């Protein structure tokens, strides 16, 4: 009797399962969705980082938008750059217009514990946006880098890290131009520069010179010496802060020399020279440490 | 019990989400915008009605005659999983955006305890075939009602000033709790007053 019961249990569940299985098989034939095979190929051509720099949710949705929507631009993938755009153009059989030069993000602030004034000691969550909620951060300068590394955490390719001086710095070789760090930064100190920029004005403060001097030793005071010593360098002083117009290709070294607060720094071999230069051995050591 | 009684019972008095607290995962997960919430509601309604009908047939025609009532859970889950797969295929065919919006929550209907819940409750209440179907359908409507209310409230909340720690899911939990309190007002006495 008990064996019969086991048999019936086995048979009924087994048969039901088989029945449903066959039913689903038939239904899957009936409701099959034809997918454009180009979507697959476009997706393979994309880097697959899902960084969202193109404005779509990820590589998959960008691939779908390219194939289904005729007017989706092919050069939106910043990490892939021109190579990927050309590959996409080949798959889709469309002409691709290359848009401009490669941009990378960089921190425009070199104010650390020694050089900048702090109003208080921040001991909250290690997040710049959380710190910025509390009186705009511990630093007296409201424009500078808060140094809690929100950009380091958000970077999908680990291109951002603290350098030898404990200040945040972007490795331009690793940067894929996704712009996530720029979005997350509460003070806006993270800004775009051309990949081949040789000099940056490492300050974001638009306060008057006298005010800046009170809270930061390496801040831009808007004196305008750079515009005079490197007239072809594209230096512009606006709101007491110097900018560089990178379309002007003149020499900028004399401006680096002339800058009284040394906030104009030269970028050489992915690091910087000037007051807070890293010794080259230290960079090499850091690199080998990172590749571990 | 009359059909009207069954409908009122499962839509209001024993609303699966707000009084029985079953199937809360999609209730929080898919209630961010009204469109996908309604899609989810209809998908669950479809699965619930068919599941309670099919499980009634299996219970009465296979399990009881063979004395295999102990296999209830496994066979019912089998039915529900199959139905969910079917719904998934249909939705993918009919509306790709809805399929995208529902995402992971669609296959999760399989393990949605509300679906198994209505199947078991319908069997235990000794409903006939049509009553089971109506019970499943109205339980699904109750789910649809709850998730629709929730999603419209949450869409409104998007534009409201909410204290930072409460933004997103926390305020949704509080909203859900208050809605559940409100639904406690529907009780058996109300049903008696309505249909005697």
């Amino acid at each position: 009797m008990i064996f019969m019961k086991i048999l019936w249990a086995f048979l009924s569940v087994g048969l039901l399962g088989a029945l449903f299985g066959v039913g689903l098989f038939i239904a899957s034939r009936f409701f099959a969705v034809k997918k454009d095979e180009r979507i697959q190929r476009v997706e393979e051509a994309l880097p697959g980082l899902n960084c969202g720099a193109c404005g779509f949710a990820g590589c998959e949705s960008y691939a779908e938008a390219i194939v289904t929507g005729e007017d989706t631009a092919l050069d939106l993938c910043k990490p892939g750059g021109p190579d990927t755009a050309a590959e996409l153009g080949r798959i889709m059989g469309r002409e691709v217009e290359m848009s401009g030069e490669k941009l990378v993000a960089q921190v425009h602030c070199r104010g650390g514990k020694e050089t900048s004034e702090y109003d208080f000691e921040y001991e909250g969550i290690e997040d710049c946006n959380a710190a910025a909620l509390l009186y705009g951060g511990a630093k007296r300068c409201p424009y500078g880098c808060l140094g809690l590394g929100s950009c380091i955490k958000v970077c999908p390719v680990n291109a951002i890290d603290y350098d030898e001086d404990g200040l945040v710095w972007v490795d331009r070789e690793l940067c894929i131009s996704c712009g996530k760090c720029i979005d997350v930064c509460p003070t806006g100190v993270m800004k775009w520069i051309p990949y081949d920029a040789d000099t940056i004005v490492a300050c974001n403060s638009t306060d008057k010179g006298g005010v800046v001097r009170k809270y930061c030793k390496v801040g831009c005071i808007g004196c305008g010496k750079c515009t005079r010593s490197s007239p072809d360098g594209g230096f512009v002083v606006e709101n007491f802060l110097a900018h560089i117009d990178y379309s002007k290709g003149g020499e900028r070294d004399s401006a680096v020399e002339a800058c009284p607060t040394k906030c104009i720094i030269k970028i050489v071999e992915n690091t910087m020279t000037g007051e807070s230069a890293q010794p080259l051995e230290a960079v090499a050591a850091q690199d080998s440490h990172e590749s571990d | 019990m009359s059909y009207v009684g069954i409908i009122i019972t499962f839509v209001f008095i024993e609303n699966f989400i707000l009084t029985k607290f079953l199937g809360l995962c999609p209730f929080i997960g898919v209630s961010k915008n009204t469109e996908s919430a309604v899609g989810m509601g209809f998908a669950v309604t479809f699965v619930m009605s068919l599941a309670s009908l099919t499980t009634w047939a299996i219970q009465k025609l296979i399990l009881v005659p063979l004395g295999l009532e102990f296999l209830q859970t496994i066979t019912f889950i089998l039915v529900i999983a199959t139905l969910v797969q079917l719904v998934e295929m249909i939705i993918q065919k009919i509306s790709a955006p809805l399929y995208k919006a529902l995402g992971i929550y669609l296959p999760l209907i399989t393990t949605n305890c509300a679906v198994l819940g209505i199947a078991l409750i319908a069997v235990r209440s000794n409903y006939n075939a049509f009553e089971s179907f109506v019970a499943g359908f109205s339980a699904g409507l109750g789910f649809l009602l709850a998730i629709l209310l929730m999603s419209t409230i949450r869409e409104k909340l998007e534009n409201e000033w909410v204290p930072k720690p409460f933004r997103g899911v926390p305020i949704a939990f509080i909203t859900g709790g208050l809605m559940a309190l409100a639904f406690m007002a529907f009780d058996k006495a109300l049903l008696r007053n309505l249909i005697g």
Side-chain angles (χ1 to χ4, degrees), chain B residues 53-73:
Chain B
L53 186 64
T54 325
T55 50
W56 176 86
I58 286 174
Q59 171 80 9
K60 285 278 137 68
L61 301 179
I62 300 175
L63 298 183
V64 172
L66 294 175
L68 297 173
E69 287 92 342
F70 59 91
L71 287 178
Q72 239 178 21
T73 312

Side-chain angles (χ1 to χ4, degrees), chain A residues 106-123:
Chain A
Q106 192 51 274
V107 186
H108 286 62
C109 177
R110 299 298 293 166
K113 282 264 190 279
E114 289 89 34
T115 46
S116 306
E117 290 295 321
Y118 281 70
D119 282 331
F120 56 92
E121 198 73 32
Y122 176 76
E123 287 186 353

Side-chain angles (χ1 to χ4, degrees), chain B residues 60-194:
Chain B
K60 285 278 137 68
L61 301 179
I62 300 175
L63 298 183
V64 172
L66 294 175
L68 297 173
E69 287 92 342
F70 59 91
L71 287 178
Q72 239 178 21
T73 312
I74 190 167
T75 42
F76 286 10
I77 286 288
L78 201 61
V79 171
I80 293 165
T82 313
L83 282 172
V84 170
Q85 288 288 315
L86 191 69
V87 170
E88 205 178 333
M89 283 177 206
I90 294 173
I91 289 184
Q92 198 176 8
K93 178 83 176 176
I94 292 174
S95 162
L98 181 60
Y99 180 74
K100 269 243 157 89
L102 294 180
I104 181 68
Y105 295 101
L106 191 53
L108 277 182
I109 303 178
T110 313
T111 49
N112 190 333
C113 45
V115 183
L116 183 63
I118 187 63
L120 291 174
I121 286 171
V123 162
R124 259 181 228 156
S125 314
N126 267 325
Y127 288 153
N128 65 29
F130 194 63
E131 278 171 344
S132 298
F133 177 76
V134 170
F137 182 70
S138 39
L141 278 190
F143 181 89
L144 178 65
L145 176 73
I147 200 168
L148 178 65
L149 290 176
M150 183 67 162
S151 65
T152 45
I153 293 175
R154 278 183 83 175
E155 272 186 354
K156 280 223 155 95
L157 278 176
E158 286 282 299
N159 304 326
E160 294 294 330
W161 185 85
V162 178
K164 240 185 178 172
F166 287 107
R167 273 177 211 169
V169 176
I171 194 80
F173 279 143
I174 293 171
T175 312
L178 291 176
M179 283 165 71
L181 275 180
F183 263 70
M184 293 292 171
F186 298 111
D187 63 356
K188 286 258 157 49
L190 176 85
L191 184 64
R192 269 201 300 279
N193 287 340
L194 275 179

